[in-house]
Amino acid sequence: MNKGELVDAVAERASVTKKQADAVLTAALDTIMEAVSNQDKVTLVGFGSFESRERKAREGRNPKTGEKMEIPATKVPAFSAGKLFKEKVAPSQADSEDEED
């Protein structure tokens, strides 16, 4: 699903226009990106958390030459799925057994 398809789905589910859904979705994503870039953690209960994480400096290799090189430390955005999201994607075995009965 791309952003356009997501906007269409949100507009339909929320009974708003596509233009309104796009504006809200864009504002929400921009706000999350801005908060994480300012070292804030954004937690959406049941969905997940967005945060900035430190990646340590490490040694790597140039794929063309095979030469060793130092990869500098950096900050990267990270997402951790919440419990409800994880359960929706991969229902537990107990849940699937209940459905078979």
Side-chain angles (χ1 to χ4, degrees):
M1 175 181 282
N2 62 30
K3 185 179 177 188
E5 293 166 338
L6 180 59
V7 167
D8 292 347
V10 169
E12 185 176 326
R13 191 170 275 203
S15 300
V16 297
T17 67
K18 290 179 184 179
K19 189 173 184 178
Q20 290 170 324
D22 183 44
V24 171
L25 183 61
T26 298
L29 295 175
D30 287 346
T31 303
I32 291 169
M33 287 189 290
E34 186 174 325
V36 172
S37 69
N38 290 328
Q39 307 307 309
D40 289 336
K41 182 174 182 177
V42 178
T43 301
L44 304 172
V45 176
F47 181 72
S49 299
F50 299 88
E51 64 185 331
S52 176
R53 292 191 185 148
E54 298 277 336
R55 185 176 287 166
K56 295 179 182 177
R58 61 196 189 280
E59 190 176 273
R61 291 193 179 270
N62 181 324
K64 288 184 180 178
T65 65
E67 179 183 332
K68 288 184 180 182
M69 57 187 280
E70 182 71 18
I71 300 171
T74 188
K75 293 180 183 178
V76 294
F79 174 75
S80 299
K83 183 179 177 186
L84 291 175
F85 192 178
K86 288 178 185 177
E87 288 174 355
K88 188 85 167 176
V89 171
S92 68
Q93 192 63 25
D95 291 343
S96 61
E97 288 174 2
D98 291 342
E99 292 173 2
E100 292 175 4
D101 293 337

